[in-house]
């Protein structure tokens, strides 16, 4: 998202919200590639092997991120900078509440409600719950454990991408390898 927002390396400078969407999409693709190339081949191995493999992927991605062409302590622009509005919204007992704080809170509430509705009312959400409880029984009733695994990793990538974007906004956030 930062690289698309600032146009670093070979990537063009794109509008802010498009850069954010592409950054989240890149996180989803990374998670799905991890599932396909690392998790799926090790799916029937002991869980400790999967844990070590995912730690290896994390260390690999931190190394790759360290080689990317952007400053190693950079931040995304704030919403107030993008929309050209004042960042100060109000105070709560000497604590300043900024517009990006409200945006982060709203994003988290929307994601929590969406997750509740997804797991409660969709066939895919129910399938994810079934596979998490007993993969063998889920397979017996016709649920594709491989498809559910890929979907779960895509959702994890989506949530990781959103978290990365929310954590990369100043005044407290920055983009650093491994963050």
């Amino acid at each position: 998202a930062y690289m698309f927002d600032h146009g670093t390396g070979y990537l063009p400078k794109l509008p802010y919200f498009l850069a954010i969407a592409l950054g989240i999409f890149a996180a989803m693709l990374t998670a799905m590639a991890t599932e396909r190339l690392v998790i799926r081949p090790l799916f029937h191995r002991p869980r400790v092997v999967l844990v070590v493999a995912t730690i290896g992927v994390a260390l690999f991605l931190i190394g790759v991120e360290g080689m990317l062409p952007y400053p190693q302590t950079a931040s995304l622009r704030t919403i107030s900078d993008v929309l050209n509005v004042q960042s100060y919204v109000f105070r709560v007992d000497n604590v300043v509440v900024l517009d990006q704080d409200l945006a982060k809170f709203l994003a988290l509430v929307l994601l929590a409600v969406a997750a509740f509705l997804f797991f409660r009312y969709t066939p895919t959400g129910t399938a994810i719950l079934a596979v998490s409880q007993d993969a063998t029984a889920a397979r017996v009733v016709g649920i594709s454990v491989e498809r559910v695994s890929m979907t779960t990793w895509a959702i994890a990538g989506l949530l990781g991408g959103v978290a990365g974007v929310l954590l990369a906004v100043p005044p407290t956030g920055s983009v650093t390898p491994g963050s």
Side-chain angles (χ1 to χ4, degrees), residues 5-109:
D5 184 39
H6 288 79
T8 57
Y10 296 105
L11 300 175
K13 181 175 173 54
L14 297 176
Y16 183 76
F17 293 106
L18 179 59
I20 297 299
L22 287 173
I24 293 170
F25 184 69
M28 286 178 63
L29 288 179
T30 302
M32 292 169 71
T34 300
E35 193 279 338
R36 185 72 176 132
L37 299 173
V38 178
I39 300 302
R40 192 168 293 182
L42 301 174
F43 201 71
H44 298 292
R45 304 290 296 267
R47 294 290 173 218
V48 68
V49 173
L50 291 172
V51 170
V52 170
T54 56
I55 291 170
V57 169
L59 293 174
F60 171 75
L61 292 174
I62 290 169
V64 168
E65 188 179 3
M67 296 185 297
L68 292 177
Y70 64 81
Q72 295 304 307
T73 54
S75 297
L76 286 172
R77 294 182 291 159
T78 63
I79 294 171
S80 57
D81 290 342
V82 173
L83 300 177
N84 292 323
V85 296
Q86 183 178 0
S87 64
Y88 171 78
V89 178
F90 59 88
R91 286 183 179 274
V92 175
D93 196 28
N94 289 332
V95 176
V96 176
V97 178
L98 304 173
D99 57 351
Q100 63 255 24
D101 297 329
L102 291 176
K104 289 175 185 180
F105 179 73
L106 182 63
L108 294 175
V109 168

Side-chain angles (χ1 to χ4, degrees), residues 77-162:
R77 294 182 291 159
T78 63
I79 294 171
S80 57
D81 290 342
V82 173
L83 300 177
N84 292 323
V85 296
Q86 183 178 0
S87 64
Y88 171 78
V89 178
F90 59 88
R91 286 183 179 274
V92 175
D93 196 28
N94 289 332
V95 176
V96 176
V97 178
L98 304 173
D99 57 351
Q100 63 255 24
D101 297 329
L102 291 176
K104 289 175 185 180
F105 179 73
L106 182 63
L108 294 175
V109 168
L110 288 173
L111 285 171
V113 170
F116 169 76
L117 295 173
F118 175 77
F119 286 111
R120 181 74 171 228
Y121 296 111
T122 67
T124 304
T126 305
I128 291 172
L129 293 174
V131 170
S132 73
Q133 295 295 315
D134 189 346
T136 304
R139 191 181 305 273
V140 167
V141 298
I143 295 173
S144 170
V145 174
E146 292 78 15
R147 183 184 61 81
V148 167
S149 177
M150 181 63 79
T151 303
T152 303
W153 277 83
I155 292 169
L158 171 87
L159 294 174
V162 170

